[in-house]
Amino acid sequence: AATSIQPEFVARGWDFWIARAPWQRQVGPSCGLAALRMVREALLSPAARQAPVPSLLQTAVDRGYSSDGEVFNAAHLTELGRDVCGLACEHWRLNGADRVGDTQRILHALARGALVILPYDRGLGDSLPAKLGGAFAHYAVLVGAVIPRGGDSVAPSPQLCNRLERLDVAQFAAGNAAEKVLFVAQHGMGRLLLIAPAVQWLESNAQVNPVDETALS
């Protein structure tokens, strides 16, 4: 599919892909439920979105997955996605030691039209991926990728990325291109997209497990 890419970024050597996923604000520590709502609104048909569904929060509480909106176990989000939202969800455990392989796996999912909910540690102030031992565990939705064609090392601004539509990213999942990928994500604590190297997202995710269940922001 074609998209309207800003000419200056084409000249600087960036390839972009980003999905349109409606933003949902999280209430309290409900970052995982907010992420799931974003995915549901992005992937289901208009008719399916209009169908009445049980409350995600109430179902999570009734099942013992949550007490106040927090969901510590990503497998529980998968079950809520299937049972409540009607999504064809898969629950992965990333390799951890194979950053390139994990990056390719996520890119393949994006190329199929999927979105990826990723647990990670939210950096203070900017919400970018950090390594804080799970003290600021958070969920983000990976909605796209940015890949440099040449030697440019400056990521585009979130505001400009918001204007981009879907591109074919299947070509990005081959060879050593995965080592240069940046993932684009959105989350329930702010409207601006988060852009960071794939390796930073993956390293943050790896050290969150097992998560400290006393805090999920």
Side-chain angles (χ1 to χ4, degrees), residues 143-199:
V143 295
V146 182
I147 298 180
R149 291 177 180 171
D152 196 337
S153 61
V154 180
S157 71
Q159 292 89 342
L160 284 174
C161 268
N162 270 322
R163 303 176 192 165
L164 301 175
E165 296 180 357
R166 179 173 176 172
L167 286 176
D168 179 11
V169 296
Q171 59 181 313
F172 298 156
N176 63 4
E179 299 174 0
K180 302 177 181 179
V181 171
L182 295 87
F183 285 144
V184 182
Q186 61 189 52
H187 66 125
M189 294 189 71
R191 289 182 176 273
L192 289 183
L193 295 174
L194 304 175
I195 306 174
V199 65

Side-chain angles (χ1 to χ4, degrees), residues 35-50:
L36 192 52
R37 291 188 187 101
M38 293 184 217
V39 173
R40 179 182 185 276
E41 292 301 304
L43 297 184
L44 290 187
S45 67
R49 291 199 300 269
Q50 294 301 317

Side-chain angles (χ1 to χ4, degrees), residues 18-212:
I18 187 168
R20 291 188 179 275
W23 180 72
Q24 297 270 348
R25 182 186 299 279
Q26 72 179 70
V27 178
S30 63
C31 53
L33 298 182
L36 192 52
R37 291 188 187 101
M38 293 184 217
V39 173
R40 179 182 185 276
E41 292 301 304
L43 297 184
L44 290 187
S45 67
R49 291 199 300 269
Q50 294 301 317
V53 295
S55 163
L56 272 176
L57 174 59
Q58 190 59 54
T59 304
V61 171
D62 291 346
R63 293 187 179 188
Y65 298 166
S66 176
S67 61
D68 191 31
E70 73 288 0
V71 179
F72 295 106
N73 191 330
H76 291 161
L77 275 186
T78 303
E79 293 178 18
L80 291 170
R82 290 174 184 156
D83 300 346
V84 181
C85 298
L87 296 166
C89 298
E90 299 176 4
H91 178 227
W92 302 341
R93 182 171 292 278
L94 296 173
N95 182 290
D98 182 8
R99 300 290 185 245
V100 172
D102 286 342
T103 299
Q104 289 177 329
R105 186 176 191 182
I106 291 171
L107 285 174
H108 278 301
L110 294 174
R112 296 198 314 266
L115 298 176
V116 178
I117 297 177
L118 186 76
Y120 76 106
D121 250 339
R122 177 178 61 83
L124 298 179
D126 57 17
S127 294
L128 290 169
K131 291 187 282 188
L132 301 169
F136 290 89
H138 192 48
Y139 287 100
V141 182
L142 302 185
V143 295
V146 182
I147 298 180
R149 291 177 180 171
D152 196 337
S153 61
V154 180
S157 71
Q159 292 89 342
L160 284 174
C161 268
N162 270 322
R163 303 176 192 165
L164 301 175
E165 296 180 357
R166 179 173 176 172
L167 286 176
D168 179 11
V169 296
Q171 59 181 313
F172 298 156
N176 63 4
E179 299 174 0
K180 302 177 181 179
V181 171
L182 295 87
F183 285 144
V184 182
Q186 61 189 52
H187 66 125
M189 294 189 71
R191 289 182 176 273
L192 289 183
L193 295 174
L194 304 175
I195 306 174
V199 65
Q200 292 183 13
W201 289 105
L202 296 172
E203 288 179 351
S204 180
N205 168 266
Q207 56 86 62
V208 164
N209 298 312
V211 68
D212 176 3

